[in-house]
PDB file of all heavy atoms in Angstrom:
ATOM      1  N   PHE A 198      28.427  18.791  19.535  1.00 92.00           N
ATOM      2  CA  PHE A 198      28.430  20.110  20.163  1.00 92.00           C
ATOM      3  C   PHE A 198      29.275  20.096  21.440  1.00 92.00           C
ATOM      4  O   PHE A 198      30.159  20.943  21.636  1.00 92.00           O
ATOM      5  CB  PHE A 198      26.981  20.529  20.480  1.00 92.00           C
ATOM      6  CG  PHE A 198      26.862  21.534  21.590  1.00 92.00           C
ATOM      7  CD1 PHE A 198      27.090  22.890  21.343  1.00 92.00           C
ATOM      8  CD2 PHE A 198      26.547  21.144  22.890  1.00 92.00           C
ATOM      9  CE1 PHE A 198      26.983  23.820  22.360  1.00 92.00           C
ATOM     10  CE2 PHE A 198      26.450  22.073  23.909  1.00 92.00           C
ATOM     11  CZ  PHE A 198      26.662  23.409  23.645  1.00 92.00           C
ATOM     12  N   LEU A 199      29.023  19.103  22.276  1.00 93.00           N
ATOM     13  CA  LEU A 199      29.781  19.009  23.532  1.00 93.00           C
ATOM     14  C   LEU A 199      31.266  18.884  23.243  1.00 93.00           C
ATOM     15  O   LEU A 199      32.109  19.533  23.860  1.00 93.00           O
ATOM     16  CB  LEU A 199      29.311  17.787  24.327  1.00 93.00           C
ATOM     17  CG  LEU A 199      28.222  18.018  25.363  1.00 93.00           C
ATOM     18  CD1 LEU A 199      27.895  16.710  26.070  1.00 93.00           C
ATOM     19  CD2 LEU A 199      28.649  19.060  26.378  1.00 93.00           C
ATOM     20  N   TRP A 200      31.586  18.013  22.307  1.00 94.00           N
ATOM     21  CA  TRP A 200      32.979  17.769  21.940  1.00 94.00           C
ATOM     22  C   TRP A 200      33.662  19.053  21.486  1.00 94.00           C
ATOM     23  O   TRP A 200      34.749  19.390  21.929  1.00 94.00           O
ATOM     24  CB  TRP A 200      33.014  16.704  20.843  1.00 94.00           C
ATOM     25  CG  TRP A 200      34.385  16.429  20.317  1.00 94.00           C
ATOM     26  CD1 TRP A 200      34.880  16.802  19.110  1.00 94.00           C
ATOM     27  CD2 TRP A 200      35.439  15.736  20.983  1.00 94.00           C
ATOM     28  NE1 TRP A 200      36.163  16.396  18.972  1.00 94.00           N
ATOM     29  CE2 TRP A 200      36.554  15.736  20.119  1.00 94.00           C
ATOM     30  CE3 TRP A 200      35.556  15.126  22.234  1.00 94.00           C
ATOM     31  CZ2 TRP A 200      37.751  15.149  20.449  1.00 94.00           C
ATOM     32  CZ3 TRP A 200      36.762  14.544  22.569  1.00 94.00           C
ATOM     33  CH2 TRP A 200      37.839  14.549  21.700  1.00 94.00           C
ATOM     34  N   ASN A 201      32.954  19.784  20.609  1.00 94.00           N
ATOM     35  CA  ASN A 201      33.493  21.031  20.082  1.00 94.00           C
ATOM     36  C   ASN A 201      33.762  22.041  21.184  1.00 94.00           C
ATOM     37  O   ASN A 201      34.802  22.688  21.226  1.00 94.00           O
ATOM     38  CB  ASN A 201      32.482  21.637  19.106  1.00 94.00           C
ATOM     39  CG  ASN A 201      33.049  21.664  17.711  1.00 94.00           C
ATOM     40  OD1 ASN A 201      34.173  21.218  17.510  1.00 94.00           O
ATOM     41  ND2 ASN A 201      32.300  22.192  16.775  1.00 94.00           N
ATOM     42  N   GLU A 202      32.777  22.165  22.061  1.00 93.00           N
ATOM     43  CA  GLU A 202      32.906  23.124  23.161  1.00 93.00           C
ATOM     44  C   GLU A 202      34.019  22.712  24.121  1.00 93.00           C
ATOM     45  O   GLU A 202      34.706  23.558  24.685  1.00 93.00           O
ATOM     46  CB  GLU A 202      31.581  23.206  23.944  1.00 93.00           C
ATOM     47  CG  GLU A 202      30.433  23.828  23.179  1.00 93.00           C
ATOM     48  CD  GLU A 202      30.602  25.332  23.031  1.00 93.00           C
ATOM     49  OE1 GLU A 202      30.850  25.988  24.069  1.00 93.00           O
ATOM     50  OE2 GLU A 202      30.510  25.835  21.902  1.00 93.00           O
ATOM     51  N   ALA A 203      34.116  21.397  24.313  1.00 93.00           N
ATOM     52  CA  ALA A 203      35.071  20.899  25.313  1.00 93.00           C
ATOM     53  C   ALA A 203      36.500  20.897  24.792  1.00 93.00           C
ATOM     54  O   ALA A 203      37.447  20.870  25.567  1.00 93.00           O
ATOM     55  CB  ALA A 203      34.671  19.488  25.752  1.00 93.00           C
ATOM     56  N   LEU A 204      36.646  20.929  23.478  1.00 93.00           N
ATOM     57  CA  LEU A 204      37.959  20.728  22.870  1.00 93.00           C
ATOM     58  C   LEU A 204      39.061  21.642  23.425  1.00 93.00           C
ATOM     59  O   LEU A 204      40.144  21.145  23.779  1.00 93.00           O
ATOM     60  CB  LEU A 204      37.851  20.881  21.346  1.00 93.00           C
ATOM     61  CG  LEU A 204      38.824  20.010  20.546  1.00 93.00           C
ATOM     62  CD1 LEU A 204      38.763  18.553  21.008  1.00 93.00           C
ATOM     63  CD2 LEU A 204      38.534  20.126  19.062  1.00 93.00           C
ATOM     64  N   PRO A 205      38.810  22.956  23.528  1.00 91.00           N
ATOM     65  CA  PRO A 205      39.868  23.830  24.057  1.00 91.00           C
ATOM     66  C   PRO A 205      40.345  23.392  25.444  1.00 91.00           C
ATOM     67  O   PRO A 205      41.564  23.342  25.690  1.00 91.00           O
ATOM     68  CB  PRO A 205      39.188  25.205  24.131  1.00 91.00           C
ATOM     69  CG  PRO A 205      38.050  25.132  23.166  1.00 91.00           C
ATOM     70  CD  PRO A 205      37.616  23.718  23.112  1.00 91.00           C
ATOM     71  N   ALA A 206      39.419  23.050  26.311  1.00 90.00           N
ATOM     72  CA  ALA A 206      39.795  22.646  27.667  1.00 90.00           C
ATOM     73  C   ALA A 206      40.591  21.354  27.627  1.00 90.00           C
ATOM     74  O   ALA A 206      41.612  21.208  28.308  1.00 90.00           O
ATOM     75  CB  ALA A 206      38.554  22.463  28.538  1.00 90.00           C
ATOM     76  N   LEU A 207      40.118  20.392  26.806  1.00 89.00           N
ATOM     77  CA  LEU A 207      40.817  19.118  26.719  1.00 89.00           C
ATOM     78  C   LEU A 207      42.196  19.302  26.091  1.00 89.00           C
ATOM     79  O   LEU A 207      43.154  18.627  26.465  1.00 89.00           O
ATOM     80  CB  LEU A 207      39.996  18.120  25.908  1.00 89.00           C
ATOM     81  CG  LEU A 207      38.655  17.708  26.550  1.00 89.00           C
ATOM     82  CD1 LEU A 207      37.877  16.764  25.655  1.00 89.00           C
ATOM     83  CD2 LEU A 207      38.901  17.067  27.921  1.00 89.00           C
TER      84      LEU A 207
END
Side-chain angles (χ1 to χ4, degrees):
Chain A
F198 156 80
L199 266 181
W200 176 253
N201 245 1
E202 292 287 309
L204 212 50
L207 295 178

